[in-house]
Amino acid sequence: MTAGNNGADTPENDDPFAHLYRSEGGEGGSGTSSVGAARQPGVPRTSYNQVRTVGQRQYGNQPAQPPYGRQNAHYAAPETLPGGSAGGTRPVPQAPEPRKGRNGLLIGAVAVVAVVCIGIGAAMLTNSDSSKNDAGADPGPTAADSVQPSDQPSSKPPAAKLPKDDAGTLRLDGGATTAKDIPGARTASGSYVTNLNNQGASATWTLDVAAAGKYKLWVGYGVPGKDANLTLNINGQALSRPINLKNFAGAPEGAWDKGWTKSWSYIQLNKGTNTIKLSCENGNQCEVNLDQVWLAQP
C-alpha cells in the first residue's frame, strides 16, 4: 500500500502525533516546514521537526528553559532570598505559651506542698535530736542553772511555823492529869492527859500566831473503841459545836492501846496570843485521852 492510496489525507490521520511535529513557522497549522517546501498530498513525509526535550520548547518571548537535570540560571535557593534561612533548614515551629493564670496556681500549690514537707522534715529532725538528749546525752546548762542567787528578799515572806505541843505540857484543871500507862501515845515521853471523864476537867493551850484568821486545830487522842467529844473554848468563848473525837482507828471496845488516832476542827484566832481550852462539859462524852495538839493552815 502506498501513501497515495492508503486513504490518509492529513498528517493527523496518518500519524496521531503528527501535530507535535508542526513547524513553529507554519501558518494556521498548515503543516508546512520552516526549512522545506510544502508537503504534497499522497507523498510520504520525509522530514519532521526536531524532537525537543520536554520543557525546552519556547512559547512567545519566554527565555529558554535549561535541559532537565541542569540548574536554571534564574533559580535561587530559598536561603539566598531576603528573609531566607542561612542554614538552609526550616525554622522549628515554637509551641504556644501556656496560660499564665493556671500555671501560676499550679506553681503556688507546688510551693505550698514543698514548704509543708520541709517543715515536717525539720520537726522530725528536731524531735529526733530531743530524743537523743533524753536518752542520756548531756543537755548542757539550763536556764535554772544560770540564775544567780539574789540577795533581795522575797516579796512573800515564808509561812511561819505553826505551833505544836504535847498535851502533857498544857495547863490541866478539874482533875485532869497525865499518865503513861497505855502504850501507843505519840509524844516523845509516851505521856498523855487522862481523867477527863469528869465534868469541868480541862486542858488549856496558850499559843501565839503571826496573823489573825482561820486555822485547823488538830488533836491527837485515844478512845476505848467508842466515840467521844469535848467542848472547844477559844479565847474565853465556848463554841456551839464540840470537837468530834470518834473511834476512827476502829479499835474494839475497851482496847485503849489500839484507839490512838487524830481529828480536827476549824477555829478563828487573833493575831498574837490566843487560848484554846478542851473541856468536859454537860452533854459531852469525855472518855478520852489526849496526847498532842497542833495548828495547820485551813
Side-chain angles (χ1 to χ4, degrees):
M1 180 181 297
T2 63
N5 58 7
N6 60 358
D9 56 353
T10 64
E12 288 83 353
N13 292 332
D14 182 32
D15 185 348
F17 298 101
H19 67 281
L20 297 177
Y21 311 139
R22 291 177 180 172
S23 170
E24 294 179 2
E27 297 179 2
S30 59
T32 59
S33 173
S34 60
V35 293
R39 182 177 58 86
Q40 300 297 324
V43 179
R45 191 166 187 167
T46 59
S47 63
Y48 302 91
N49 287 336
Q50 183 178 2
V51 178
R52 294 180 175 86
T53 307
V54 175
Q56 189 177 5
R57 186 181 183 93
Q58 302 298 319
Y59 297 92
N61 295 324
Q62 295 181 4
Q65 299 295 327
Y68 180 77
R70 296 184 182 180
Q71 185 175 0
N72 191 330
H74 299 279
Y75 170 79
E79 57 270 18
T80 62
L81 298 177
S85 174
T89 57
R90 300 179 59 185
V92 180
Q94 299 295 327
E97 294 185 0
R99 297 176 60 182
K100 294 184 179 180
R102 183 175 300 175
N103 284 354
L105 293 177
L106 179 59
I107 293 173
V110 172
V112 170
V113 172
V115 170
V116 171
C117 292
I118 293 173
I120 293 175
M124 293 177 65
L125 291 176
T126 303
N127 291 338
S128 176
D129 294 341
S130 299
S131 300
K132 292 180 180 179
N133 287 338
D134 295 340
D138 184 8
T142 63
D145 296 333
S146 62
V147 175
Q148 299 296 326
S150 175
D151 295 335
Q152 298 297 327
S154 173
S155 59
K156 183 178 180 181
K161 186 177 181 180
L162 296 176
K164 180 178 183 180
D165 287 310
D166 291 345
T169 65
L170 306 182
R171 190 187 77 190
L172 304 179
D173 297 301
T177 185
T178 60
K180 295 182 181 181
D181 304 355
I182 302 171
R186 284 158 294 192
T187 59
S189 61
S191 65
Y192 53 90
V193 174
T194 188
N195 202 28
L196 290 171
N197 196 17
N198 296 311
Q199 190 171 349
S202 66
T204 303
W205 184 25
T206 302
L207 69 158
D208 292 334
V209 293
K214 182 182 288 186
Y215 294 87
K216 273 185 178 182
L217 170 65
W218 283 90
V219 176
Y221 65 95
V223 292
K226 56 183 179 181
D227 297 339
N229 59 68
L230 293 174
T231 296
L232 271 176
N233 188 300
I234 307 297
N235 295 324
Q237 183 178 1
L239 302 183
S240 61
R241 177 175 53 84
I243 183 170
N244 193 3
L245 305 174
K246 289 187 175 183
N247 182 25
F248 293 122
E253 188 173 355
W256 284 91
D257 61 330
K258 299 185 182 302
W260 294 105
T261 185
K262 58 185 178 179
S263 183
W264 61 270
S265 180
Y266 282 122
I267 60 173
Q268 185 73 28
L269 298 179
N270 301 324
K271 180 181 180 180
T273 303
N274 296 267
T275 59
I276 299 173
K277 180 180 179 181
L278 297 166
S279 63
C280 181
E281 306 295 340
N282 185 24
N284 292 136
Q285 300 172 357
C286 306
E287 197 170 2
V288 61
N289 295 327
L290 305 179
D291 64 349
Q292 286 183 322
V293 289
W294 67 94
L295 287 182
Q297 296 291 342

